[in-house]
Coordinates of all heavy atoms in Angstrom, one line a residue:
A1 N 68.8 116.1 77.5 CA 68.8 115.3 78.8 C 67.6 114.5 78.8 O 66.5 115.0 78.5 CB 68.9 116.0 80.1
R2 N 67.7 113.2 79.1 CA 66.5 112.3 79.1 C 65.8 112.4 80.4 O 66.4 112.2 81.5 CB 66.8 110.9 78.8 CG 65.7 109.9 78.7 CD 66.1 108.7 77.8 NE 66.2 109.1 76.4 CZ 66.6 108.1 75.4 NH1 67.0 106.9 75.8 NH2 66.7 108.6 74.2
V3 N 64.5 112.6 80.4 CA 63.6 112.6 81.7 C 62.6 111.5 81.5 O 62.3 111.2 80.3 CB 63.1 114.0 82.0 CG1 64.2 115.1 82.0 CG2 62.1 114.5 80.7
A4 N 62.0 111.2 82.6 CA 60.8 110.3 82.6 C 59.9 110.7 83.7 O 60.2 111.0 84.7 CB 61.4 108.9 82.9
A5 N 58.5 110.5 83.2 CA 57.5 110.6 84.2 C 57.0 109.2 84.4 O 56.5 108.6 83.6 CB 56.4 111.6 83.6
V6 N 57.0 108.8 85.7 CA 56.6 107.5 86.0 C 55.5 107.4 87.0 O 55.4 108.0 87.9 CB 57.9 106.8 86.7 CG1 57.7 105.3 86.9 CG2 59.3 107.0 86.0
T7 N 54.6 106.4 86.6 CA 53.5 106.1 87.5 C 53.6 104.6 87.7 O 53.7 103.8 86.8 CB 52.1 106.5 86.9 OG1 51.1 106.3 87.9 CG2 51.7 105.8 85.7
T8 N 53.5 104.3 89.1 CA 53.6 102.9 89.4 C 52.3 102.3 90.1 O 51.6 103.2 90.7 CB 54.8 102.7 90.3 OG1 54.6 103.7 91.4 CG2 56.2 103.0 89.7
P9 N 52.0 101.1 90.0 CA 50.8 100.5 90.8 C 51.2 100.7 92.2 O 52.3 100.4 92.7 CB 50.9 99.0 90.5 CG 51.5 99.0 89.1 CD 52.7 100.1 89.2
S10 N 50.3 101.3 92.9 CA 50.5 101.6 94.4 C 49.8 100.5 95.3 O 48.8 99.9 95.0 CB 49.8 103.0 94.7 OG 50.0 103.2 96.1
T11 N 50.5 100.3 96.3 CA 49.9 99.3 97.3 C 49.5 100.2 98.6 O 50.5 100.8 99.1 CB 50.9 98.1 97.8 OG1 51.4 97.5 96.6 CG2 50.3 97.2 98.7
V12 N 48.3 100.2 98.8 CA 47.9 101.1 100.0 C 48.5 100.8 101.3 O 48.6 99.7 101.8 CB 46.4 100.9 100.2 CG1 45.8 101.7 101.4 CG2 45.5 101.4 99.0
A13 N 49.2 101.8 101.9 CA 49.9 101.6 103.2 C 50.9 100.5 103.3 O 51.0 100.0 104.4 CB 48.8 101.6 104.3
D14 N 51.6 100.3 102.2 CA 52.6 99.2 102.3 C 53.9 99.9 101.6 O 54.3 99.6 100.5 CB 52.1 98.0 101.5 CG 53.0 96.8 101.8 OD1 54.2 97.0 102.2 OD2 52.7 95.7 101.5
P15 N 54.7 100.6 102.4 CA 55.8 101.3 101.9 C 56.9 100.4 101.3 O 57.4 100.7 100.1 CB 56.4 102.0 103.0 CG 55.2 102.2 104.0 CD 54.5 101.0 103.7
L16 N 57.0 99.2 101.8 CA 58.2 98.3 101.2 C 57.7 97.7 99.9 O 58.5 97.6 98.9 CB 58.4 97.2 102.2 CG 59.3 97.6 103.4 CD1 59.4 96.4 104.4 CD2 60.7 98.1 102.9
A17 N 56.5 97.4 99.7 CA 55.9 97.0 98.5 C 56.0 98.1 97.5 O 56.4 97.9 96.3 CB 54.4 96.6 98.5
N18 N 55.7 99.4 97.9 CA 55.9 100.5 96.9 C 57.3 100.8 96.5 O 57.7 101.1 95.4 CB 55.2 101.7 97.5 CG 53.7 101.6 97.6 OD1 53.1 101.1 96.8 ND2 53.1 102.1 98.6
A19 N 58.2 100.6 97.5 CA 59.6 100.7 97.2 C 60.1 99.7 96.2 O 60.9 100.1 95.3 CB 60.5 100.5 98.5
A20 N 59.6 98.6 96.2 CA 59.9 97.5 95.2 C 59.5 97.9 93.8 O 60.3 97.7 92.8 CB 59.3 96.2 95.6
T21 N 58.4 98.5 93.7 CA 57.9 99.0 92.3 C 58.8 100.1 92.0 O 59.1 100.3 90.8 CB 56.4 99.4 92.3 OG1 56.2 100.4 93.2 CG2 55.6 98.3 92.7
V22 N 59.2 101.0 92.8 CA 60.1 102.3 92.4 C 61.4 101.7 92.0 O 62.0 102.0 91.0 CB 60.2 103.1 93.7 CG1 61.3 104.1 93.4 CG2 58.9 103.9 94.0
I23 N 62.0 100.7 92.6 CA 63.2 100.0 92.3 C 63.2 99.5 91.0 O 64.1 99.8 90.0 CB 63.8 99.1 93.4 CG1 64.0 99.8 94.6 CG2 64.9 98.3 92.9 CD1 64.2 98.9 95.9
E24 N 62.1 98.7 90.6 CA 61.9 98.1 89.3 C 61.9 99.1 88.3 O 62.5 98.9 87.2 CB 60.6 97.2 89.4 CG 60.4 96.5 88.0 CD 59.6 97.2 87.0 OE1 58.8 98.2 87.4 OE2 59.8 97.0 85.8
A25 N 61.1 100.3 88.5 CA 61.0 101.3 87.5 C 62.3 102.1 87.4 O 62.8 102.3 86.3 CB 59.9 102.3 87.9
A26 N 63.1 102.2 88.5 CA 64.4 102.8 88.3 C 65.3 102.0 87.5 O 66.2 102.6 86.8 CB 64.9 103.0 89.9
R27 N 65.3 100.7 87.6 CA 66.2 99.9 86.7 C 65.8 100.1 85.2 O 66.8 100.2 84.4 CB 66.0 98.4 87.1 CG 66.5 98.1 88.5 CD 66.7 96.5 88.5 NE 67.1 96.1 89.9 CZ 66.3 95.7 90.9 NH1 64.9 95.5 90.6 NH2 66.9 95.4 92.0
R28 N 64.4 100.3 85.0 CA 64.2 100.6 83.6 C 64.7 101.9 83.1 O 65.2 102.1 82.1 CB 62.6 100.5 83.4 CG 62.1 99.1 83.5 CD 60.6 99.1 83.5 NE 59.9 99.7 82.4 CZ 58.6 99.9 82.3 NH1 57.8 99.3 83.2 NH2 58.2 100.4 81.1
C29 N 64.7 102.9 84.1 CA 65.0 104.2 83.7 C 66.6 104.1 83.5 O 67.1 104.9 82.6 CB 64.6 105.3 84.8 SG 62.9 105.6 84.9
D30 N 67.4 103.6 84.3 CA 68.7 103.5 84.2 C 69.1 102.8 82.9 O 70.1 103.3 82.3 CB 69.2 102.6 85.5 CG 70.8 102.4 85.3 OD1 71.4 103.4 85.5 OD2 71.2 101.3 85.2
A31 N 68.5 101.8 82.6 CA 68.8 101.1 81.3 C 68.6 102.0 80.0 O 69.2 101.9 79.1 CB 67.9 99.8 81.1
Q32 N 67.6 102.9 80.2 CA 67.2 103.8 79.1 C 68.1 105.2 79.1 O 67.9 105.9 78.2 CB 65.8 104.1 79.1 CG 64.9 103.0 78.8 CD 63.4 103.3 78.8 OE1 62.9 104.0 77.9 NE2 62.7 102.8 79.8
G33 N 69.0 105.2 80.1 CA 69.8 106.5 80.2 C 69.0 107.8 80.6 O 69.4 108.9 80.3
V34 N 68.1 107.5 81.5 CA 67.3 108.6 82.0 C 68.1 109.4 83.1 O 68.6 108.9 84.1 CB 65.9 108.1 82.7 CG1 65.2 109.2 83.4 CG2 65.0 107.5 81.6
A35 N 68.1 110.8 83.1 CA 68.8 111.6 84.0 C 67.8 111.8 85.3 O 68.3 111.7 86.3 CB 69.2 112.9 83.3
V36 N 66.6 112.1 85.0 CA 65.7 112.6 86.1 C 64.4 111.7 85.8 O 63.8 111.8 84.8 CB 65.4 114.0 86.1 CG1 64.4 114.4 87.2 CG2 66.7 114.8 86.2
A37 N 64.0 110.9 86.8 CA 62.8 110.3 86.9 C 61.8 110.7 87.9 O 62.2 110.7 89.1 CB 63.0 108.7 87.0
V38 N 60.6 111.0 87.6 CA 59.6 111.6 88.5 C 58.6 110.7 88.9 O 58.0 110.1 87.9 CB 59.1 112.9 88.0 CG1 58.2 113.6 88.9 CG2 60.2 113.8 87.6
F39 N 58.2 110.4 90.1 CA 57.1 109.5 90.5 C 56.0 110.3 91.2 O 56.1 111.5 91.5 CB 57.7 108.6 91.6 CG 58.8 107.5 91.0 CD1 60.1 107.9 90.7 CD2 58.4 106.2 90.7 CE1 60.9 107.0 90.1 CE2 59.2 105.3 90.2 CZ 60.6 105.7 89.9
P40 N 54.9 109.6 91.4 CA 53.7 110.3 91.8 C 53.9 110.8 93.4 O 54.7 110.4 94.0 CB 52.6 109.3 91.7 CG 53.1 108.3 90.8 CD 54.5 108.3 90.9
E41 N 53.0 111.6 93.8 CA 53.0 112.2 95.1 C 52.7 111.0 96.1 O 52.0 110.1 95.9 CB 51.6 113.1 95.1 CG 51.6 113.9 96.5 CD 50.5 114.9 96.5 OE1 49.7 114.8 95.5 OE2 50.3 115.7 97.4
L42 N 53.5 111.2 97.2 CA 53.4 110.1 98.3 C 53.6 108.7 97.7 O 52.8 107.9 98.1 CB 52.1 110.2 99.1 CG 51.9 111.7 99.7 CD1 50.6 111.7 100.4 CD2 53.1 111.8 100.9

């Protein structure tokens, strides 16, 4: 099973901006056939 450990540029106290980076990374993981993608704390 393909897994991914993902770190994204964080925007301090801006959840919608952070959601956008999560979504962009999720698209990359989906394209690569990743089963489980793990992001940083908070």
